Amino acid sequence: MVGVDKWKVWGSVVEVDVTETAALPEAAALIAGVIDEVESLCDIHRGDAEIHAVNLSQGAPVKVSRRMSALLRSALWVARMTDGAVNPLTSELADDDLVPPVHPSPSFLDVQIDDDVVFAPWGASFDITDTAKADTVDRAADLVARELECGAAVRIGDVIATAGHCPAGGWQIPVPGDGEIELPNGTAMATAFAPTATEPSVAAESAADTEWDAVTVIANDALWAYGAGVAALDRGIGAIRWIEQHELRARFVDRSGRVHTTKSW
């Protein structure tokens, strides 16, 4: 019997499913500890978060913790893989008006990490919250499976990863608006949603920016599933071919509510 626990932290719903019910309290504690660590590093709303040291460096090299370095590397990897659709630099704080003319607009391509030393261009400001959560889903699922010797499915928001052995009948994971799908053990799934807006002008602009209302991607890890989903929203009608070129499984819902899937879905 699968044991399930849910709670909310860092602005997202967290869920853990384990194949051994007796392991559920310890699994929840392990996951909470992993999330607390990452939140203390990356939550830009916390004054003591380590990410602020990077954002305040303004062109000077700064030494960060090993975990912070790994999270930044993950964010930069996703940015490169998605051609910047998932950008670790915040657009609000990297506005051209805030950068003196002698400095070019900062880009994630200009960020360098050497061991645990980060060098970011002047004017760069990081917000890696979403990629850090996806990275944490992968890490948490692997940790629970390894430490407690059971199967685990861990979800933060709309990103889920599985590890260890699967329950009888496999991992049956809800797909937004379409029942459930059996998620292969050791893989991950993420759903990206197009932005919504209440003001007609903003809603029209959002509708023009994407062909899709939602994209669900299955990949070998949660970080790539999340990044590919966001990139697919950004690529419009060409997203299906792009997803298939990367040998991923995906389900698309267009603005009219019609469902499209890759051949492998």
Side-chain angles (χ1 to χ4, degrees), residues 1-2 17-21 23 141-142 144-154 161-172 182-187:
M1 181 177 178
V2 175
D17 298 25
V18 291
T19 56
E20 304 294 337
T21 304
D142 288 339
V144 170
R146 184 176 67 253
E147 293 291 326
L148 305 183
E149 299 182 345
C150 65
V154 178
T162 61
H165 56 270
C166 63
W171 293 111
Q172 301 300 319
E182 182 176 342
L183 185 62
N185 199 46
T187 64

Side-chain angles (χ1 to χ4, degrees), residues 173-182 216 251-253 259-261 265:
I173 306 300
V175 177
D178 192 35
E180 296 181 337
I181 185 174
E182 182 176 342
T216 301
R251 173 183 180 271
F252 302 77
V253 181
V259 175
H260 311 256
T261 64
W265 179 263

